[in-house]
Amino acid sequence: MNALIFTSGSYRLGVHGPGADIDTLCVGPMHVTRNEDFFGELHRILVEMPDVQELNSVPDAYVPVMRFKLDGIPIDLLYASLPLPNIPEDLDISQDSIIHNVDEQTVRILNGRRVTDEILNLVPNIQNFRTALRCLRLWAKRRGIYSNVAGFLGGVNWAILVARICQLYPNALPCTLVSRVFRVYNLWQWPNPVILCPIQEGSSNVWDPRRNRKDREHLMPIITPAYPCMNSSYNVSNSTLRIMMEEFRRGNEICEAIEANKAVWVTLFEPFAFFEAYKDYLQIDIKAQSGDDFRNWKGWVESRLRFLNSMIERYTGGILQCHPYPGDFSNECRPHCCSYFMGLRRKQGSSPEGGKQFDIRWIVDKFKHQVCQYSAWKATMWINVCHVRRKNIPVFVFSGGIRPSQRAKVAAQDCLGKRLPGNNFLHADDAGSRKRRKQVVVNRGVHLEEFSSLTSGTSTASLQIEAGEEEQSEAVIADTIRNKNYRKNMTNHDQEPEGSVKCRSPSCSNPKGASPVEKWVTDSSSGEIVGLSDMKTEVSGGTVESNSFQLSMTEPGVQIPVVGAGGRNSCSKSLQNEGLEELELLPPSSIASASTSKASQKPLISFNFTSSKKAVGPSA
């Protein structure tokens, strides 16, 4: 018996950093099964190894994984069993034939490595791609939008977004690529998909909104390049999409200020002050009795939190908006316990409507009931949800256990964009300001030296492209940046309404002393969410009225034009370049050269897949 080990994810892409986990794939023969041998026998072997710590198996996950630390290095280990008696040493898993006659879970497991390899094959300059991707990963983590499980984007999502910009700007330096990421995706018209190469038909698992009704509901489709092409960002919700679009807008404004020599790169990486951005929060506390139970319970609850987010926004019609924090906080005084937080606010621009009340207690009860359906749930596994005001946020969430002072709060508000780029706080003219900014960077531990290539060779961090390159692709940008027919053609497919959903108020007993979540109401004068104890509930008899809570209606199916080889959709000829700079693309033959042999085997679907709306205001 033999097996092969492959790496994937950030380690395979070459953008991993200190503390990052290593995504590892084990490929074995058909007589070595996943459930009995991998999660059974191998798990028992690893438990007895002294170098292995924090072992946690998740066999019922969407992608079954075994997580542990080996000599302090976090590892995510996957297993794929191939229909072969022996695994050859020169096995090439990039071939499409490798996923024939295997189950869907095995396809998803193998595609982790296949997608990363395909991304590296499709970018014109791997080193520039890696530098730009490192920069975007750091930015996303510091702005709190790097988490696939929380409904934001994960490693492969950011890699595909950056790789697409590398295709649009094949000769650009990393500093230009970073700037263009914000410019292009700030104007992107979702749900137009981001794809790196033509999508190949041939399987029901291929992302195709013309045939698959669920694919039409995806809000931010980012399609993997390896067959079968899938949406890697299916977890994105309306709230997380809104938050990410706000961050793209902020990043674009700062990059434009950098181009005008009115800002510095450090401003882009300012951390998002989550606990200063809102007045009200939901605190979700979980606890278990033992370390193993806690790790299992934590992983399960973390994967369910996005449903609480969606239920609240659906019930309130999007007026009460949620912002999940992509991470947890632990109190050293309480072992096997952690807390998650969600920021709450009224939708900007919405009228208070006479102090409309939002009773979300039944939503919380429903969420807790769903979480307690965990297959490995034990009586010692506990969850509680409560409302906290900003001034009552527990101190263990702050660095050093010290609540920030008022002066730090004002500085955080500046970083949040209360002052637009180009104002005084972005100018680098004052020597004292530069000195203070440098000290802040040192105190916060921001290390941008590894990104020195972003501005090397230029004194003003100029982000301009040579004029000769801008004159070559006016027709291409019209096809690539805007596809206004995407939403219009959605009406070509019929979609029956889901109808209303009548929900009971399930009970999930709280531990002794746990307080239920407070009722919510928005003050008509200040728009602030406050807790009340005598609010009239809209839930009667454990059933919600049909007009109170409905499944979100998605637009009907998308009609995607099929283009012949070398052809172009006729509607693209009428598109005009509305204030956007010209792009230079690699010839299609060179971009998709790695997929040429595959094209002859399966029919191709060519998309007008990149689109963005006309810039408005100073971003134009």
Side-chain angles (χ1 to χ4, degrees), residues 315-550:
Y315 171 64
T316 62
I319 298 178
L320 188 59
Q321 296 179 336
C322 303
H323 182 169
Y325 185 87
D328 63 275
F329 297 89
S330 300
N331 188 350
E332 296 180 355
C333 300
R334 302 176 62 188
H336 313 316
C337 179
C338 71
S339 301
Y340 298 90
F341 291 87
M342 287 185 182
L344 297 172
R345 74 174 182 184
R346 172 177 282 274
K347 182 180 180 181
Q348 295 180 353
S350 62
S351 59
E353 298 181 4
K356 182 179 180 180
Q357 299 175 348
F358 298 118
D359 186 354
I360 63 172
R361 290 178 302 174
W362 72 273
I363 297 178
V364 171
D365 287 341
K366 179 183 175 72
F367 167 73
K368 291 163 64 177
H369 177 74
Q370 291 178 349
V371 169
C372 290
Q373 300 302 311
Y374 178 43
S375 59
W377 183 83
K378 299 180 180 179
T380 56
M381 296 178 177
W382 171 77
I383 181 172
N384 183 53
V385 183
C386 63
H387 163 228
V388 293
R389 303 296 296 272
R390 179 168 58 191
K391 62 181 179 181
N392 297 326
I393 293 291
V395 294
F396 63 80
V397 307
F398 301 108
S399 178
I402 301 175
R403 194 179 301 274
S405 62
Q406 187 64 31
R407 184 176 181 181
K409 293 179 182 179
V410 173
Q413 290 176 355
D414 289 345
C415 298
L416 286 174
K418 297 296 180 67
R419 304 177 186 176
L420 293 177
N423 287 344
N424 293 334
F425 91 109
L426 287 176
H427 282 280
D429 299 332
D430 179 56
S433 299
R434 290 196 299 269
K435 184 176 180 180
R436 288 192 296 272
R437 187 183 300 111
K438 182 177 180 180
Q439 185 62 38
V440 169
V441 172
V442 173
N443 293 339
R444 290 178 176 172
V446 183
H447 301 290
L448 300 180
E449 291 82 357
E450 60 180 312
F451 304 116
S452 58
S453 59
L454 287 171
T455 57
S456 61
T458 59
S459 58
T460 60
S462 175
L463 303 179
Q464 304 299 325
I465 300 179
E466 296 181 6
E469 299 181 4
E470 297 184 354
E471 300 175 356
Q472 300 180 8
S473 55
E474 181 176 357
V476 175
I477 189 175
D479 291 339
T480 306
I481 296 300
R482 288 172 300 279
N483 183 0
K484 299 179 180 178
N485 291 330
Y486 186 89
R487 287 182 177 272
K488 179 190 294 186
N489 292 334
M490 295 279 282
T491 59
N492 293 340
H493 293 263
D494 295 329
Q495 180 179 3
E496 297 180 1
E498 299 258 358
S500 60
V501 177
K502 295 184 178 181
C503 304
R504 299 186 179 275
S505 300
S507 60
C508 181
S509 58
N510 290 338
K512 185 176 181 180
S515 59
V517 65
E518 299 185 33
K519 301 179 182 180
W520 302 93
V521 66
T522 301
D523 192 329
S524 59
S525 60
S526 62
E528 178 181 341
I529 302 173
V530 297
L532 296 181
S533 58
D534 57 351
M535 185 188 339
K536 181 180 179 181
T537 178
E538 297 181 7
V539 182
S540 60
T543 303
V544 181
E545 298 296 333
S546 61
N547 58 355
S548 299
F549 178 68
Q550 296 184 348

Side-chain angles (χ1 to χ4, degrees), residues 47-270:
V47 168
E48 299 175 357
M49 295 179 61
D51 295 335
V52 175
Q53 306 91 25
E54 301 181 12
L55 178 62
N56 179 27
S57 296
V58 191
D60 54 350
Y62 184 72
V63 178
V65 60
M66 185 184 298
R67 297 188 176 96
F68 57 91
K69 287 187 177 181
L70 181 62
D71 289 333
I73 301 175
I75 294 178
D76 288 356
L77 181 61
L78 311 176
Y79 178 75
S81 177
L82 298 183
L84 299 173
N86 291 290
I87 304 299
E89 295 292 335
D90 58 347
L91 178 68
D92 183 9
I93 63 175
S94 63
Q95 299 295 326
D96 289 347
S97 58
I98 203 72
I99 61 175
H100 292 171
N101 302 321
V102 297
D103 56 25
E104 293 186 6
Q105 282 188 331
T106 302
V107 172
R108 290 194 292 266
I109 292 172
L110 292 171
N111 261 10
R113 168 65 180 234
R114 286 160 50 82
V115 167
T116 52
D117 286 349
E118 199 69 17
I119 291 174
L120 294 176
N121 290 335
L122 292 173
V123 294
N125 188 310
I126 294 179
Q127 186 57 49
N128 288 348
F129 162 75
R130 285 173 172 166
T131 304
L133 180 56
R134 280 180 175 271
C135 182
L136 263 295
R137 284 164 58 93
L138 173 64
W139 168 81
K141 291 177 181 179
R142 298 190 71 82
R143 300 303 297 175
I145 56 175
Y146 189 95
S147 174
N148 189 283
V149 69
F152 296 104
L153 300 183
V156 67
N157 310 127
W158 291 112
I160 294 175
L161 292 183
V162 175
R164 183 60 191 137
I165 300 301
C166 291
Q167 290 181 340
L168 297 176
Y169 299 84
N171 299 322
L173 295 176
C175 60
T176 302
L177 295 174
V178 171
S179 174
R180 297 313 181 259
V181 165
F182 297 115
R183 175 176 297 186
V184 172
Y185 295 119
N186 177 52
L187 301 176
W188 201 274
Q189 288 184 347
W190 304 104
N192 288 330
V194 176
I195 63 176
L196 300 180
C197 58
I199 294 180
Q200 303 179 34
E201 284 187 333
S203 171
S204 60
N205 296 328
V206 173
W207 185 84
D208 189 353
R210 301 171 305 173
R211 301 178 180 178
N212 304 325
R213 184 175 178 275
K214 288 186 178 180
D215 292 344
R216 305 172 199 165
E217 302 175 0
H218 294 164
L219 302 176
M220 193 180 187
I222 301 174
I223 311 304
T224 58
Y227 178 84
C229 300
M230 303 177 182
N231 179 23
S232 62
S233 54
Y234 56 88
N235 279 349
V236 174
S237 63
N238 284 297
S239 59
T240 54
L241 176 59
R242 168 182 53 82
I243 294 166
M244 287 187 287
M245 292 305 296
E246 291 175 357
E247 290 298 328
F248 282 133
R249 176 191 57 79
R250 172 188 176 271
N252 183 55
E253 291 176 350
I254 293 178
C255 286
E256 288 181 346
I258 294 175
E259 292 183 7
N261 200 24
K262 295 180 180 179
V264 292
W265 280 105
V266 174
T267 308
L268 182 66
F269 300 94
E270 288 287 353

Side-chain angles (χ1 to χ4, degrees), residues 544-613:
V544 181
E545 298 296 333
S546 61
N547 58 355
S548 299
F549 178 68
Q550 296 184 348
L551 288 178
S552 61
M553 295 295 115
T554 58
E555 295 180 343
V558 53
Q559 180 69 32
I560 302 176
V562 179
V563 185
R568 181 174 297 171
N569 187 9
S570 60
C571 69
S572 64
K573 297 181 180 179
S574 62
L575 300 179
Q576 299 297 326
N577 187 356
E578 303 177 10
L580 292 174
E581 65 174 317
E582 292 79 1
L583 308 178
E584 178 189 357
L585 279 80
L586 289 178
S589 59
S590 60
I591 292 179
S593 59
S595 305
T596 304
S597 59
K598 303 177 184 179
S600 60
Q601 301 174 6
K602 298 182 178 64
L604 301 181
I605 304 177
S606 181
F607 289 81
N608 283 337
F609 52 88
T610 52
S611 177
S612 58
K613 55 189 175 183

